[in-house]
C-alpha cells in the first residue's frame, strides 16, 4: 500500500494547517502513510517530501500559513506536467496526492489526474471564487479581518471628516468587498461585477456630507476596472500569468478628493487578510474538507474536488469546478447597496 501525499500551493490562506492536520489524522487512523510535500508543486517536482504523523500536526489547527510551505511554481508552467513529477511519485510510492489550492493549482491537479496521477482537490482561497462549492475556507476569516479593519477606520474617518478608501483583496471578484462592506456598514462598495462611475460615487459622498455625515467608508475591491479618468492600471503579472493587483485606490483617492473637496485617505489591507489564525468556522470547514479528501484519496478516487453543498461535504468533478468562474451574485450586492450613502 502506497502513501497519500499532501501539498499546499499558491497563495496561503487561513485554514491550510487544519486541512493538513485532517488529512494526516484521517489517513493515520486507517494505517495509511502520509507524506507532506514541501513548497507546493515545487516539492513534488524536486522530491522535497517528509513523513507526517500526529506529532507533526499537533497543535496546528489554529495556526495561520502552512507548515508545508507553498510556492507559485506549477508543473505545467515550469515543467512538463506529469513527466516533471513522476520521479517523486515513484520514489516515494505515492498512490494519490491531495492538492490544496486555488483555481490555478486545481486546474493543474485536474490535468495531472488526466495524465494518470490520482489527485483530489481541496479548494482554498480567501477570494471565494471557486465554483461548485458554496464557500471556500479562508473567506470567512478574510471577511472578519476586513470587517474589524473597517470598524476601526470608521472611527478615525469620523473624527477627521474624511473619506476612507478601504481596499480589499479578491482578484476579479468582489466577494470580500461585498461581505466585509455589508458587515462593516460601508457607505459605498466598488466591485468588479457591478458597473460604477466616478460621478455617481462622488455624488453619493457629497450628498452624505450635505446631510451632516461628513465622513464615508468606501470599500474597494482590488480588481475593479479603473475609471477612464485613471486609464490603464497595470501592475504586471505573477508567475502563473495572473494580473498582479492591489493599489488602484491610490489612483482613485486624488480624483475623489478633487471632486468632493473631502480629504480622502487610502488603506490597502493587502496580505493582512490572509495572515494569522483562521476563524472557528474556517477551522471546521477546512477540517471537514480535509477528512473527506483523505477518505476519497484512500478509496482510489481521482479528478475530484471536495466541496461544501448546503451543510454537506461532497465530491464534485475537479475539471468542471475550476472551469467555471464564480462572480459575486447580484442579490448580495443589492443587499449591500440598500445601505449606501
Ligand atoms: O488569490 C488570493 C490572493 O490573496 C488575491 O486576493 C490577491 O490578489 C493575490 O492572492 C495576491 O497574491 P500574492 O500573494 O502573490 O501577492
Amino acid at each position: 500500500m502506497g502513501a497519500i501525499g499532501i501539498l499546499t500551493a499558491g497563495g496561503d490562506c487561513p485554514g491550510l494547517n487544519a486541512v493538513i492536520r485532517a488529512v494526516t489524522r484521517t489517513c493515520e487512523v486507517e494505517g495509511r502513510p502520509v507524506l507532506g510535500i514541501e513548497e507546493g508543486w515545487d516539492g513534488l517536482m524536486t522530491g522535497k517530501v517528509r513523513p507526517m504523523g500526529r506529532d507533526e500536526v499537533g497543535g496546528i489547527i489554529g495556526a495561520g500559513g502552512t507548515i508545508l510551505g507553498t510556492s507559485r511554481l506549477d508543473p505545467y508552467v515550469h515543467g512538463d506536467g506529469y513527466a516533471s513529477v513522476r520521479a517523486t511519485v515513484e520514489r516515494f510510492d505515492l498512490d494519490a496526492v491531495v492538492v490544496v489550492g486555488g483555481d490555478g493549482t486545481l486546474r493543474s491537479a485536474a490535468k495531472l489526474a488526466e495524465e494518470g496521477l490520482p489527485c483530489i482537490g481541496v479548494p482554498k482561497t480567501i477570494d471565494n471564487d471557486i465554483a461548485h462549492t458554496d464557500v471556500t475556507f479562508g473567506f470567512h476569516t478574510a471577511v472578519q479581518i476586513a470587517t474589524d479593519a473597517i470598524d476601526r477606520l470608521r472611527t478615525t474617518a469620523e473624527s477627521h471628516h474624511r473619506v476612507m478608501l478601504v481596499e480589499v483583496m479578491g482578484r476579479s471578484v468582489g466577494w470580500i468587498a461585498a461581505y466585509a462592506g455589508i458587515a462593516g456598514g460601508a457607505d459605498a462598495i466598488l466591485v468588479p461585477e457591478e458597473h460604477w462611475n466616478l460621478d455617481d460615487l462622488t455624488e453619493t459622498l457629497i450628498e452624505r456630507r450635505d446631510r451632516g455625515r461628513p465622513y464615508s467608508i468606501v470599500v474597494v475591491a482590488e480588481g475593479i476596472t479603473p475609471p477612464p479618468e485613471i486609464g490603464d492600471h497595470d501592475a504586471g503579472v505573477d508567475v502563473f500569468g495572473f494580473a498582479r493587483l492591489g493599489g488602484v485606490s491610490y489612483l482613485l483617492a486624488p480624483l475623489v478628493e478633487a471632486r468632493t473637496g473631502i480629504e480622502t485617505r487610502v488603506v490597502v489591507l493587502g496580505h493582512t487578510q490572509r495572515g494569522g489564525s483562521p476563524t472557528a468556522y474556517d477551522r471546521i470547514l477546512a477540517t471537514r474538507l480535509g477528512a473527506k479528501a483523505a477518505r476519497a484519496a484512500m478509496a482510489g478516487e481521482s479528478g475530484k474536488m471536495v466541496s461544501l453543498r448546503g451543510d454537506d461535504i461532497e465530491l464534485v468533478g475537479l475539471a468542471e469546478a475550476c472551469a467555471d468562474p464564480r462572480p459575486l451574485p447580484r442579490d448580495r450586492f443589492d443587499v449591500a447597496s440598500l445601505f449606501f450613502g
Side-chain angles (χ1 to χ4, degrees):
M1 197 170 46
I4 304 296
I6 174 162
L7 65 83
T8 55
D12 70 349
C13 169
L16 286 171
N17 285 325
V19 178
I20 296 168
R21 173 176 174 267
V23 168
T24 302
R25 294 295 296 268
T26 308
C27 289
E28 206 172 48
V29 165
E30 301 295 325
R32 195 70 175 260
V34 182
L35 294 175
I37 299 156
E38 298 173 357
E39 318 289 335
W41 293 119
D42 188 26
L44 199 59
M45 293 194 276
T46 58
K48 282 184 276 185
V49 162
R50 64 182 198 241
M52 304 290 284
R54 68 186 305 158
D55 291 337
E56 282 70 27
V57 298
I60 66 169
I61 189 166
T66 160
I67 61 164
L68 291 175
T70 184
S71 70
R72 293 230 186 245
L73 291 182
D74 181 272
Y76 289 92
V77 179
H78 308 99
D80 304 320
Y82 194 10
S84 46
V85 303
R86 187 189 296 274
T88 304
V89 170
E90 288 173 0
R91 180 169 155 216
F92 294 97
D93 194 19
L94 288 170
D95 280 348
V97 182
V98 174
V99 177
V100 193
D103 53 353
T105 300
L106 295 178
R107 263 193 290 278
S108 297
K111 285 194 216 160
L112 282 175
E114 271 167 33
E115 284 201 74
L117 173 63
C119 285
I120 301 293
V122 181
K124 139 307 347 176
T125 169
I126 64 166
D127 302 340
N128 202 30
D129 62 350
I130 296 178
H132 302 271
T133 184
D134 289 354
V135 71
T136 53
F137 73 84
F139 173 63
H140 189 268
T141 305
V143 169
Q144 189 61 57
I145 293 167
T147 303
D148 291 344
I150 292 170
D151 288 347
R152 288 176 184 280
L153 293 168
R154 177 175 298 284
T155 62
T156 171
E158 186 169 9
S159 304
H160 289 267
H161 297 181
R162 285 172 172 159
V163 171
M164 198 63 83
L165 302 184
V166 187
E167 186 175 308
V168 298
M169 283 184 163
R171 283 205 180 278
S172 54
V173 297
W175 284 96
I176 298 175
Y179 274 50
I182 292 171
D187 305 302
I189 303 174
L190 309 180
V191 295
E193 293 88 345
E194 299 292 331
H195 178 75
W196 67 279
N197 64 60
L198 209 47
D199 289 339
D200 292 345
L201 173 65
T202 51
E203 211 172 288
T204 301
L205 303 178
I206 290 167
E207 272 174 14
R208 194 176 140 79
R209 179 194 55 201
D210 294 348
R211 270 194 356 259
R213 312 278 279 170
Y215 74 95
S216 295
I217 299 289
V218 180
V219 179
V220 181
E222 64 177 359
I224 56 163
T225 305
E229 291 85 346
I230 288 180
D232 278 347
H233 164 59
D234 183 3
V237 293
D238 67 15
V239 291
F240 270 113
F242 293 150
R244 190 169 280 137
L245 300 169
V248 66
S249 302
Y250 290 113
L251 306 174
L252 198 53
L255 300 176
V256 171
E257 187 168 292
R259 286 180 180 224
T260 60
I262 310 172
E263 201 179 5
T264 301
R265 290 283 195 269
V266 173
V267 175
V268 177
L269 295 182
H271 293 82
T272 54
Q273 294 159 98
R274 273 187 6 206
S277 192
T279 58
Y281 177 88
D282 277 336
R283 296 179 198 194
I284 294 163
L285 176 59
T287 297
R288 294 181 69 203
L289 291 169
K292 180 81 173 182
R295 284 194 205 104
M298 286 189 285
E301 297 271 9
S302 179
K304 299 282 168 58
M305 182 182 89
V306 289
S307 144
L308 179 70
R309 293 301 185 98
D311 200 32
D312 296 322
I313 306 291
E314 296 176 1
L315 289 178
V316 298
L318 185 52
E320 297 84 316
C322 36
D324 296 333
R326 185 159 189 255
L328 178 76
R330 165 61 63 85
D331 67 307
R332 312 305 152 89
F333 190 78
D334 286 347
V335 169
S337 61
L338 290 173
F339 303 94
F340 291 174

